[in-house]
């Protein structure tokens, strides 16, 4: 009787509570998730080539790597050579795996002379949402 009460009463309530705690479109942040922000300054004369290489790398990472949660690239308003990347990985091992992929290594080699400066900002994710 007690087991039936747990199965039919408590478990459905627990499942419902879990479903409303993290709404769809939001990622429950765990200690393992890696989120970085990269601030790059690109040589203005090579900006078009940089954007092409970046597009190829992001598309491959999203398509091929299950541990890549999100990669977003933007430029600072009125300063197109100031690029900001938002990177989210499911774990430290997913991030390390990303760094060893052929498409990432190609991106790094291709853009080496295009990137004038790079600053990586480590973060502590609080809540990650998307629609």
């Amino acid at each position: 009787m007690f087991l039936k009460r747990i199965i039919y009463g408590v478990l459905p309530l627990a499942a419902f509570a879990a479903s409303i705690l993290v709404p769809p479109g939001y990622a429950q942040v765990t200690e393992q998730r890696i989120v970085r922000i990269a601030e790059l300054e690109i040589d203005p004369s090579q900006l078009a080539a940089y954007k092409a290489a970046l597009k190829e790398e992001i598309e491959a990472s999203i398509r091929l790597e299950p541990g890549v949660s999100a990669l977003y690239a933007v430029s600072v308003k009125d300063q197109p050579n100031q690029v900001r990347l938002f990177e989210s990985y499911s774990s430290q091992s997913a991030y390390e795996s990303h760094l060893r992929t052929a498409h990432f290594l190609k991106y790094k080699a291709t853009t080496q002379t295009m990137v004038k400066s790079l600053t990586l900002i480590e973060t502590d994710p609080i809540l990650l949402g998307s629609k």
Side-chain angles (χ1 to χ4, degrees):
M1 181 63 107
F2 180 71
L3 185 58
K4 276 187 177 180
R5 199 174 285 164
I6 290 175
I7 292 172
Y8 294 113
V10 176
L11 289 180
L13 286 175
F16 173 73
S19 72
I20 62 172
L21 291 177
V22 181
Y26 289 87
Q28 190 168 11
V29 178
T30 66
E31 291 180 39
Q32 295 179 346
R33 184 173 293 273
I34 302 299
V35 177
R36 289 198 165 87
I37 299 169
E39 298 179 335
L40 296 93
E41 181 182 355
I42 308 303
D43 177 354
S45 68
Q46 300 185 70
L47 188 57
Y50 174 79
K51 286 181 179 180
L54 179 63
K55 181 178 189 285
E56 181 181 319
E57 197 283 323
I58 287 177
E59 287 175 349
S61 296
I62 295 297
R63 186 178 69 251
L64 300 171
E65 297 179 66
V68 174
S69 303
L71 293 172
Y72 298 108
V74 298
S75 62
V76 175
K77 192 77 153 175
D78 299 323
Q79 296 180 43
N81 68 314
Q82 296 293 319
V83 175
R84 303 298 182 258
L85 304 176
F86 175 87
E87 309 174 41
S88 179
Y89 304 91
S90 61
S91 65
Q92 181 66 33
S93 62
Y95 174 68
E96 291 168 5
S97 175
H98 169 71
L99 296 179
R100 293 187 302 270
T101 61
H103 52 270
F104 181 76
L105 295 173
K106 178 183 176 187
Y107 160 80
K108 288 300 277 186
T110 301
T111 63
Q112 184 175 4
T113 62
M114 301 173 188
V115 177
K116 294 171 67 175
S117 70
L118 167 64
T119 303
L120 289 177
I121 301 170
E122 302 293 329
T123 70
D124 290 322
I126 299 170
L127 179 66
L128 305 173
S130 63
K131 197 168 186 177

